[in-house]
Amino acid sequence: MSRSTLRKTVAVTLSGAVAVGVALAPNLTAAAVTPPLENSAPVSTAVAAEPSARAIGPVPRKAKKSKKVPVTLFGMNSSGQNTGAKALRLWDAGVTWRQLQPTNGPVNWAPLDAIVDRARANGYRDLLYVFGSTPAWAASRTSPKEVYGPGSSSYPANDAYYLDYARQVAQRYKGRINSYQIWNEADLPDFYSGSPEALGNLTAKTYNLIKSIDRSAKVAAAGLVPRPGRFANGTFEYRYLTTLRKHRWPTDAFVISMYPERQKTQLRLTYSNIARNALRKLKAPSKPLWESEANFATSNGQPFNNSAQMRLVARTYIDSMTYGFSRVYWYSWTQQWAPLGIRLTGPDRVTPTPAATAYATVTNWMAGRSWQGCNTKGGVTRCGMKGGGNATIMFTNSGSRRVAAPKGTNAICGLSNSCTPLKAKKRFKVTSTPVLLKGARV
């Protein structure tokens, strides 16, 4: 999301919308992180079957029990650096269509080849490539004010230009890039200025094209940004989705991004339900819901304090299991834009911050385990997990509570990736910052 777009998004009025130490995780030392490059080798496609998070109707506050936490829930927008993430989304990574094919000639594959190589070396399990960002030569209109340069938000002058590029990408990276997204945040003029019907038709053509080349690849719809008033009849979002319906829903996943304001974690549910309710009304089929860019908006141009950043990163992924997301791509590893409340690297764009440690820690807590659901009692939320031993995540929505450690508890772990002994029945303080109790049963 561009700086100007995020500012516009933060400005939307929401009428009617609903303490741990700090240390770097051992696997996220500055030396282990390579700076962004733009430069081939396969990425493992051995990913467990992705659960279909039902994208229709409001998601219940209590998640279904006993479902595995997909490793690909933990995504990142980056250039393939070692981030602790398991899924990679290639946006703002120097490899858009307009960057790889700036003229109507051969594609320069070197930058994308290098990122695919780096991602394999750093353990990513799935790569998502985002089409869109039209080269000036292929644009139907151009303007010097476009965020990524003249023509970048334009619908292609000829569908064949976009489809030929998509064909080349799918052929070259078959079995190495696992997923594709049609367009980034298409309902924001910074990124797309064409008609929603044209984009819906192009979505169907691209879906059929990629499936003819790589049947196992996932093709996700264009991204949308839910806010009050959007997705209603006649809006861009509604017209795009109704076009997809005419084509019998040619997508493997629906995609949204949100950037909640005021550090309000529950706004992710409020906003995502705007999209879910629209899909329900259109009788959309049950498909996974992906969040393409996760972060929180700040209104003063300054990042939140370290404690708040760590808490919000952890809550994003814990809540995602309740809210019905199957992939959540953090935005981003290196980005330092003023409207972003959470930064995972410092000003040098290399050194991990405490928020990055929290990201790696919550990934280690959850990825691949059997999720037993969450319940809230006495102001304390408890989310149970099995697999590799019992464990329970605990936090409050606000304030603190003193509670007794559940049966089986042997240690308490914070988001700084450190644990201390804790016996069952011993009372301790729970705050809004999530902690993990090893051995504890809900």
Side-chain angles (χ1 to χ4, degrees):
M1 178 176 279
S2 73
R3 183 179 306 191
S4 62
T5 298
L6 186 49
R7 282 177 177 152
K8 293 174 188 173
T9 302
V10 171
V12 174
T13 302
L14 299 177
S15 55
V18 240
V20 289
V22 171
L24 289 178
N27 63 329
L28 286 177
T29 61
V33 183
T34 53
L37 302 173
E38 306 307 349
N39 220 326
S40 119
V43 172
S44 172
T45 57
V47 181
E50 183 174 332
S52 182
R54 191 159 182 80
I56 304 174
V59 171
R61 295 279 179 175
K62 186 172 181 179
K64 290 182 179 180
K65 291 188 175 183
S66 298
K67 63 179 180 182
K68 192 172 184 179
V69 180
V71 296
T72 49
L73 173 69
F74 303 91
M76 185 68 67
N77 286 270
S78 81
S79 300
Q81 301 97 319
N82 176 16
T83 67
K86 305 302 180 184
L88 175 65
R89 181 175 183 259
L90 296 173
W91 183 251
D92 285 337
V95 291
T96 60
W97 178 20
R98 67 179 290 109
Q99 290 170 311
L100 299 186
Q101 195 181 22
T103 62
N104 190 6
V107 178
N108 174 22
W109 298 111
L112 187 51
D113 284 348
I115 286 180
V116 172
D117 272 346
R118 190 180 311 123
R120 175 181 172 82
N122 286 325
Y124 287 95
R125 303 283 295 277
D126 187 277
L127 269 68
L128 170 63
Y129 183 81
V130 185
F131 294 118
S133 201
T134 311
W137 65 266
S140 57
R141 51 166 294 282
T142 61
S143 165
K145 296 182 179 180
E146 293 173 79
V147 170
Y148 291 111
S152 60
S153 67
S154 169
Y155 190 84
N158 189 320
D159 285 5
Y161 296 150
Y162 178 106
L163 293 170
D164 180 63
Y165 177 73
R167 176 187 56 78
Q168 292 186 67
V169 174
Q171 288 176 338
R172 183 179 183 88
Y173 297 101
K174 180 178 180 179
R176 299 191 287 166
I177 290 179
N178 323 75
S179 306
Y180 298 91
Q181 184 182 344
I182 298 299
W183 209 282
N184 177 69
E185 295 176 343
D187 54 346
L188 301 182
D190 278 355
F191 301 108
Y192 181 71
S193 58
S195 81
E197 290 81 9
L199 189 60
N201 293 332
L202 186 63
T203 299
K205 293 177 183 179
T206 308
Y207 179 89
N208 292 332
L209 172 66
I210 292 177
K211 292 294 185 177
S212 72
I213 296 168
D214 186 354
R215 196 69 193 170
S216 66
K218 296 183 184 297
V219 182
L224 302 171
V225 184
R227 283 297 189 277
R230 296 181 186 170
F231 287 81
N233 288 12
T235 61
F236 181 101
E237 298 84 3
Y238 179 85
R239 292 162 60 193
Y240 175 67
L241 293 175
T242 54
T243 305
L244 295 188
R245 183 176 62 179
K246 291 177 182 178
H247 291 285
R248 298 185 179 182
W249 303 102
T251 181
D252 293 314
F254 297 109
V255 183
I256 61 174
S257 59
M258 294 178 285
Y259 293 94
E261 302 86 356
R262 305 190 305 277
Q263 301 187 33
K264 298 291 187 181
T265 56
Q266 66 269 30
L267 285 178
R268 292 181 66 241
L269 181 60
T270 301
Y271 293 155
S272 61
N273 275 345
I274 293 172
R276 288 190 180 93
N277 287 335
L279 290 163
R280 174 182 54 81
K281 290 177 182 178
L282 291 170
K283 295 181 170 52
S286 177
K287 293 179 183 290
L289 182 63
W290 298 353
E291 185 175 5
S292 59
E293 297 180 14
N295 206 314
F296 287 76
T298 179
S299 60
N300 62 4
Q302 297 297 318
F304 310 134
N305 63 49
N306 284 336
S307 177
Q309 291 191 52
M310 297 174 77
R311 170 176 57 84
L312 293 169
V313 167
R315 282 293 303 273
T316 293
Y317 288 94
I318 296 165
D319 292 345
S320 290
M321 289 302 296
T322 299
Y323 295 172
F325 291 97
S326 59
R327 296 191 189 186
V328 176
Y329 297 92
W330 196 265
Y331 188 86
S332 73
W333 182 247
T334 60
Q335 196 53 259
Q336 302 292 311
W337 283 342
L340 297 177
I342 299 172
R343 320 284 171 86
L344 297 190
T345 54
D348 63 1
R349 300 174 184 261
V350 174
T351 306
T353 65
T357 300
Y359 180 97
T361 300
V362 77
T363 302
N364 290 336
W365 285 359
M366 296 173 61
R369 302 189 81 165
S370 177
W371 188 257
Q372 303 299 299
C374 300
N375 63 74
T376 301
K377 183 178 180 180
V380 177
T381 297
R382 301 164 175 83
C383 304
M385 297 180 292
K386 292 183 178 180
N390 293 318
T392 298
I393 296 172
M394 297 179 66
F395 58 90
T396 67
N397 277 325
S398 63
S400 63
R401 304 283 193 282
R402 291 196 67 82
V403 299
K407 184 178 180 180
T409 301
N410 57 63
I412 182 171
C413 306
L415 293 174
S416 59
N417 197 33
S418 61
C419 302
T420 56
L422 180 67
K423 293 182 178 180
K425 298 183 180 182
K426 184 176 179 61
R427 297 185 68 80
F428 70 103
K429 185 167 73 172
V430 182
T431 71
S432 57
T433 299
V435 293
L436 177 79
L437 272 60
K438 289 185 174 181
R441 296 190 291 273
V442 175

